[in-house]
Amino acid sequence: MTGPIRVVVVDDDPLVRGMLTLMLDGADGITVVGEAADGGQALTAVERHAPDVVLMDIRMPNVSGITATERLRRRPRPPEIIVLTTFDTDEHVVRALWAGASGFLLKDTPPEQISQAVRNVAAGAPILSPSVTRRLMQQVASGGESYEQALARLAPLTARERDVVLAIAQGRSNAEIAADLLMSVTTVKAHVSHILTKLDLTNRTQIALLAHDARLV
């Protein structure tokens, strides 16, 4: 990516929105190009500013973050989306990830970690921190597919593609997968692209969720 990472911040709390904007605008290689107070405004802001990444609150009036995420992912060139949540009280995180979000952040995440998360998703790496992923995956059974359905969806994959799916579910980057499976990063990217097409998914996070549904990890 050339130039700074362009970000739109979406939150119905003006204080939270302002703090995120101030923090991200001061981070190296990141610029906030727009703000929005709900999902409807987010759609307009993305259309106007063409950001690389959207920080999306889930619980908002009018149009929710989940609905906005679903609509944005249907765009020809959608931005990467990180959902913001309190997690302990929000039961919609899994739905947001299945809607196409690239990951999630707790609202009390330290500023430097939020900045790094933006850089990660802009580079194509989902945000599934190990400390929170275990808790998130406990909810997948009620928010995702059944074990049998997940296995059936994975059936068309080749053995090598299943290896890549397992590695993605374990939170490994393309470089780590390439090293583990003795292939080039370009080949890993090709496998990921084929997997997304075969499974009719939009990003790596959804691959990881499906793998957990199928009890591969």
Side-chain angles (χ1 to χ4, degrees):
M1 181 177 296
T2 60
I5 300 168
R6 298 165 57 82
V7 177
V8 164
V9 175
V10 185
D11 198 293
D12 64 330
D13 186 330
L15 179 60
V16 172
R17 196 168 64 246
M19 291 177 62
L20 286 169
T21 296
L22 182 64
M23 180 270 296
L24 288 172
D25 253 347
D28 184 44
I30 299 174
T31 182
V32 175
V33 295
E35 298 182 13
D38 64 30
Q41 292 183 18
L43 299 174
T44 301
V46 168
E47 182 70 28
R48 179 179 303 159
H49 301 292
D52 305 300
V53 178
V54 175
L55 287 183
M56 182 80 74
D57 189 16
I58 292 180
R59 295 177 180 268
M60 294 182 291
N62 303 318
V63 179
S64 73
I66 293 174
T67 299
T69 296
E70 291 172 339
R71 293 177 182 175
L72 286 175
R73 292 304 304 181
R74 290 197 291 264
R75 291 170 55 91
R77 297 183 64 182
E80 300 296 337
I81 300 169
I82 303 174
V83 296
L84 297 168
T85 178
T86 55
F87 191 77
D88 287 331
T89 58
D90 200 324
E91 300 176 354
H92 301 294
V93 179
V94 173
R95 287 181 56 204
L97 294 178
W98 277 117
S102 300
F104 61 88
L105 290 175
L106 302 179
K107 286 192 175 181
D108 61 356
T109 299
E112 63 275 10
Q113 293 184 25
I114 295 179
S115 301
Q116 189 57 48
V118 169
R119 297 187 187 98
N120 286 348
V121 299
I127 303 305
L128 290 171
S129 64
S131 62
V132 184
T133 298
R134 288 190 295 272
R135 296 170 62 192
L136 172 64
M137 291 308 170
Q138 292 174 358
Q139 300 183 32
V140 171
S142 61
E145 301 189 31
S146 71
Y147 169 64
E148 293 79 9
Q149 288 175 321
L151 282 181
R153 288 192 67 183
L154 292 171
L157 300 183
T158 66
R160 203 56 164 167
E161 288 169 344
R162 289 175 69 90
D163 290 340
V164 174
V165 166
L166 176 59
I168 290 173
Q170 293 170 336
R172 299 187 184 279
S173 67
N174 285 344
E176 291 170 333
I177 296 173
D180 290 344
L181 300 182
L182 303 178
M183 61 178 69
S184 69
V185 172
T186 300
T187 301
V188 173
K189 291 180 178 179
H191 278 308
V192 173
S193 179
H194 293 155
I195 291 166
L196 290 172
T197 299
K198 285 185 177 182
L199 300 180
D200 192 26
L201 299 176
T202 61
N203 59 39
R204 296 164 66 102
T205 304
Q206 293 176 338
I207 293 175
L209 290 172
L210 186 60
H212 279 269
D213 280 343
R215 304 175 193 169
L216 298 186
V217 289

